[in-house]
Amino acid sequence: MKSVNIGGVTIPGNVALSPMAGVSHVFFRGICREQGASYAPTELVSARSIRYNGLGKSMQYLRIDPEKEGITAIQLFGADPDDFTAAIEKIMEDPLLSKVDIIDINMGCPVPKVVKTGAGSALINEPSKAASIVTACKKALEGLPKKVPVTVKTRIGFNAGDSGRPDLAKALADAGCDMLCVHGRTRPQMYSGLCDRKAIRLMKEAIKGYDIPFFANGDVTDGESALSLIRETGADGIMIGRAARGNPWIFAEVNACLEGREIPPEPSEQERKQMLIREIEGRCRYCDEDIAVREFRSVMPFYVKGIKGAAKLKVRLCSALTVNEIKEILEL
Ligand SMILES: Cc1cc2nc3c(=O)[nH]c(=O)nc-3n(C[C@H](O)[C@H](O)[C@H](O)COP(=O)(O)O)c2cc1C
């Protein structure tokens, strides 16, 4: 695997799990690493909430497991540089969270609730504000015993029809951003339509003169699409989102393809069902079973996709209340 240096932190490969709310649970991130993901940031967590409410409520999303995950990264969102400063201070005071290797800033979230506060993809339209957030994070991380780089994940534009924001990429790099990841869709596209690889490339080329890695993101579903995304954008690495839900094996497949090795066989139906159980049992270690099962409802359908009788299984799984019930439904 091709390792990537992110601001002094070496990640062991160039295929990462893209952060996903409700999906990127700490236990799942560990599973993805086993399958070859180079690293996997947490889902987005509000810097403002950490600032004013402390780590408590956010801990379920912030939790990292350096032993299982290898390189760890926490993704924060917000609009006010002071919120990031305060949030990072609190993170770095915590015995577990202070072990984090990378702080990632979300500048791509298209959800109106986030955008209307000036956070997420709203920052695409405000390159100087976006840069000031990077500067604040870098400053808050100065003087620690270890260097913690700051990365940004964003999109190719805020408005429909935007085809890349090289000005944003440059502003972020000038502010000291240690890695940039760009999803090839605009904010109004959410997750629909095709990824614009030319627009991703434009942003990659904008920071050519800076010695920072660039990741591309969007629509990778297998080895071939990973290979072509890297080729067409010139990216140093990729992040895989939706296709990894219920399918952590995708990392082994993509790594094999990128390295020109034979693609490993697809997991059997039994292996898929067993991995589903492994993930829910793992999630149950972190909260009450009923909560874990309820949260897992959005993920379970992906594990049984393609399995005989999947439609009926999905309906039944989504009304299950306990792990034992899930096992019965899956006949395990
Ligand atoms: C359910 C879901 C939750 C997501 N949550 C986040 C998030 O917390 N932070 C983030 O940067 N992107 C988030 N994304 C965007 C993905 O990380 C990724 O950029 C997007 O899905 C495109 O990549 P893909 O085509 O490989 O899925 C989310 C996407 C989905 C589908």
Side-chain angles (χ1 to χ4, degrees):
M1 285 191 282
K2 192 178 139 199
S3 66
V4 182
N5 182 328
I6 298 181
V9 171
T10 303
I11 59 162
N14 62 348
V15 182
L17 174 69
S18 209
M20 282 178 286
V23 179
S24 297
H25 188 279
V26 60
F27 191 79
F28 182 63
R29 302 199 305 266
I31 292 176
C32 289
R33 187 211 182 192
E34 280 173 16
Q35 294 295 328
S38 57
Y39 81 114
T42 65
E43 65 181 72
L44 78 176
V45 184
S46 165
R48 171 151 290 193
S49 173
I50 298 173
R51 178 183 184 183
Y52 291 109
N53 308 319
L55 297 171
K57 256 170 63 182
S58 303
M59 198 61 185
Q60 56 177 319
Y61 310 113
L62 289 166
R63 187 171 279 115
I64 52 171
D65 185 346
E67 209 178 292
K68 300 263 165 51
E69 290 186 77
I71 302 296
T72 56
I74 287 176
Q75 187 186 65
L76 298 174
F77 76 95
D80 179 350
D82 293 342
D83 288 351
F84 285 85
T85 306
I88 289 174
E89 263 171 33
K90 290 206 158 69
I91 287 170
M92 290 303 166
E93 281 164 8
D94 182 80
L96 172 66
L97 301 185
S98 58
K99 295 187 177 137
V100 73
D101 296 297
I102 295 169
I103 295 289
D104 184 52
I105 308 169
N106 180 307
M107 298 192 186
C109 180
V111 175
K113 199 172 78 181
V114 169
V115 175
K116 74 168 188 258
T117 68
S121 59
L123 289 165
I124 300 172
N125 262 353
E126 302 213 48
S128 57
K129 190 166 154 197
S132 70
I133 290 175
V134 171
T135 308
C137 291
K138 297 283 286 186
K139 199 148 181 280
L141 292 162
E142 259 171 25
L144 294 171
K146 66 169 185 178
K147 191 168 175 244
V148 180
V150 174
T151 61
V152 171
K153 181 166 170 286
T154 188
R155 288 180 173 240
I156 54 163
F158 181 81
N159 298 306
D162 280 355
S163 51
R165 289 293 299 261
D167 57 331
L168 173 71
K170 239 180 134 297
L172 295 171
D174 278 331
C177 168
D178 292 292
M179 180 277 243
L180 181 63
C181 175
V182 178
H183 172 199
R185 287 191 177 82
T186 60
R187 176 196 54 87
Q189 279 184 294
M190 306 283 276
Y191 302 103
S192 66
L194 283 180
C195 250
D196 182 344
R197 293 179 171 184
K198 274 201 190 121
I200 299 178
R201 186 171 193 108
L202 198 67
M203 292 176 75
K204 151 85 187 167
E205 279 169 3
I207 56 164
K208 231 182 193 163
Y210 300 78
D211 190 20
I212 62 172
F214 181 96
F215 275 51
N217 166 239
D219 294 349
V220 170
T221 52
D222 54 18
E224 280 309 313
S225 48
L227 205 57
S228 65
L229 180 62
I230 290 179
R231 266 202 211 118
E232 289 173 30
T233 61
D236 305 293
I238 53 167
M239 282 195 159
I240 303 178
R242 290 164 298 168
R245 290 181 294 190
N247 182 22
W249 299 276
I250 191 167
F251 295 101
E253 176 190 349
V254 165
N255 281 329
C257 187
L258 295 185
E259 290 161 33
R261 286 187 283 112
E262 199 183 320
I263 307 284
E266 279 189 16
S268 64
E269 288 191 3
Q270 198 66 3
E271 281 169 318
R272 286 183 166 277
K273 289 178 179 178
Q274 279 163 352
M275 189 66 96
L276 182 158
I277 295 298
R278 190 175 158 212
E279 186 179 342
I280 184 57
E281 285 181 339
R283 281 173 171 251
C284 286
R285 287 183 215 153
Y286 295 89
C287 65
D288 291 342
E289 181 176 354
D290 57 332
I291 296 171
V293 169
R294 216 174 326 121
E295 286 177 354
F296 198 45
R297 283 184 183 163
S298 67
V299 176
M300 280 191 284
F302 296 102
Y303 273 109
V304 296
K305 207 169 137 194
I307 286 181
K308 215 171 96 219
K312 276 195 187 133
L313 275 181
K314 283 180 199 172
V315 174
R316 292 182 63 205
L317 286 170
C318 285
S319 59
L321 298 171
T322 65
V323 175
N324 273 342
E325 242 181 277
I326 296 173
K327 283 183 180 166
E328 267 170 41
I329 293 166
L330 297 176
E331 294 172 9
L332 285 176

